[in-house]
Amino acid sequence: MRYQESLISVVIPAYNHEKYIEECIDSIIIQTYKNIELIIINDGSTDRTLEKIRSKSESCNRRFRRFLLIDKENEGVAKALNYGCYEAQGEYILLCASDDVLVFDAISIMHEFLRVNHEYVLVVGDNYLIDENSKRCFWNTEGKVTYNVNEAADLSFGKCLERNRKDVEFKSENFGIYKTFLKGNYIPNGYLFRKKILINYIKGFYDKNYPVEGGILEDLFLHLQLSKYGKYKYIDQHLFNYRWHSKN
């Protein structure tokens, strides 16, 4: 396509996801957007995650502009993300957990929005929940998994987040403004953002000292920084599958 000239860096931190990593990689391979580099950081996995990644190397080298596998000792997700983001050569970065899955046209849709809306720094779509076997599921009113849509408290992860943050209207200009993050992170998974904001203004990526173990997600640090320099956009469309399983 004419406007698919910008390189997009997809960064995947991977740890003990031997069951899911191949499906995750395949969801990047089949993206309709063509100009992609894929960076995977194996963060000291003790199962067959590294072996599974290497089994996809030939396909990745054929498909992507650049494929980079970083195999390192376990240091935690924040450091793994820093490794990947610093290696990224793209104009945009997309983060994806190694057990999650992108919808086939997600990158094309998000890139097109940022391409024509320069005042925005980040775009994200809705997430469906999937289980260990990639079957769509829901949370009921007690927060337990159900497959019966009539028992679902919400039809998507995005709708769940929006319901729990009544101070933020996801389809409004209020979405992603700095002050809303002071109450916590509410951005769905699988977002695309402009790398230049981090390079030119923030001078860095994830804070490795941020208290993730205390219940504060590492993403919150990034959003608190990015939201100072531009707007966020929520696309009310299924673009990502967030996997819910026993090791989440």
Side-chain angles (χ1 to χ4, degrees):
M1 287 182 67
R2 177 184 173 188
Y3 292 116
Q4 292 192 352
E5 298 173 353
S6 299
L7 179 64
I8 291 178
S9 303
V10 177
V11 177
I12 301 176
Y15 178 70
N16 285 357
H17 279 162
E18 63 178 3
K19 184 177 179 180
Y20 312 116
I21 185 63
E22 291 176 291
E23 184 180 359
C24 176
I25 294 171
D26 286 340
S27 78
I28 313 300
I29 287 175
I30 67 170
Q31 287 297 303
T32 56
Y33 193 88
K34 299 304 180 186
N35 197 12
I36 297 173
E37 71 168 359
L38 178 61
I39 300 171
I40 304 178
I41 310 92
N42 179 50
D43 191 34
S45 295
T46 57
D47 62 0
R48 297 175 62 224
T49 295
L50 181 60
E51 178 184 336
K52 297 282 188 176
I53 297 170
R54 285 176 171 161
S55 74
K56 306 294 293 186
S57 293
E58 184 177 345
S59 297
C60 288
N61 283 316
R62 285 199 309 266
R63 165 63 176 87
F64 301 116
R65 172 70 65 86
R66 175 177 176 243
F67 171 57
L68 177 63
L69 169 59
I70 301 171
D71 183 26
K72 55 182 285 298
E73 65 180 7
N74 180 257
E75 297 178 283
V77 65
K79 273 198 171 183
L81 286 167
N82 279 339
Y83 275 99
C85 288
Y86 276 116
E87 286 286 347
Q89 298 178 358
E91 181 179 348
Y92 307 91
I93 294 176
L94 186 143
L95 305 177
C96 183
S98 55
D99 54 347
D100 292 339
V101 179
L102 278 162
V103 174
F104 73 97
D105 57 352
I107 293 179
S108 291
I109 291 170
M110 290 189 289
H111 169 261
E112 179 62 16
F113 180 85
L114 288 182
R115 184 186 69 82
V116 298
N117 294 280
H118 300 287
E119 70 274 27
Y120 285 82
V121 297
L122 181 147
V123 61
V124 67
D126 198 0
N127 296 183
Y128 281 2
L129 291 176
I130 58 174
D131 68 8
E132 295 182 349
N133 300 307
S134 301
K135 183 177 180 180
R136 188 179 179 188
C137 59
F138 312 91
W139 286 320
N140 62 21
T141 55
E142 297 178 349
K144 297 180 179 180
V145 170
T146 179
Y147 297 92
N148 185 344
V149 67
N150 296 317
E151 297 177 353
D154 305 282
L155 296 181
S156 69
F157 184 48
K159 295 296 186 292
C160 175
L161 292 168
E162 188 170 14
R163 175 173 56 83
N164 284 287
R165 286 300 300 267
K166 300 186 185 303
D167 58 316
V168 181
E169 170 53 57
F170 277 36
K171 297 178 187 177
S172 75
E173 293 291 307
N174 191 40
F175 181 79
I177 63 173
Y178 178 83
K179 67 179 183 180
T180 61
F181 291 118
L182 299 179
K183 293 184 178 180
N185 181 29
Y186 58 88
I187 303 301
N189 300 301
Y191 47 79
L192 182 70
F193 63 92
R194 300 184 191 274
K195 181 185 175 183
K196 69 177 183 180
I197 302 300
L198 296 178
I199 296 300
N200 295 341
Y201 301 106
I202 303 173
K203 311 296 184 186
F205 296 90
Y206 289 87
D207 186 342
K208 64 181 181 299
N209 297 314
Y210 217 60
V212 178
E213 294 82 5
I216 301 177
L217 296 178
E218 66 279 353
D219 285 354
L220 179 57
F221 175 80
L222 181 64
H223 295 313
L224 284 167
Q225 307 311 313
L226 280 177
S227 61
K228 297 174 184 177
Y229 298 100
K231 299 164 69 175
Y232 277 43
K233 175 66 176 179
Y234 177 71
I235 296 177
D236 191 17
Q237 182 176 342
H238 172 216
L239 299 182
F240 196 81
N241 291 319
Y242 171 41
R243 193 181 304 275
W244 189 251
H245 55 86
S246 58
K247 295 183 180 179
N248 265 23

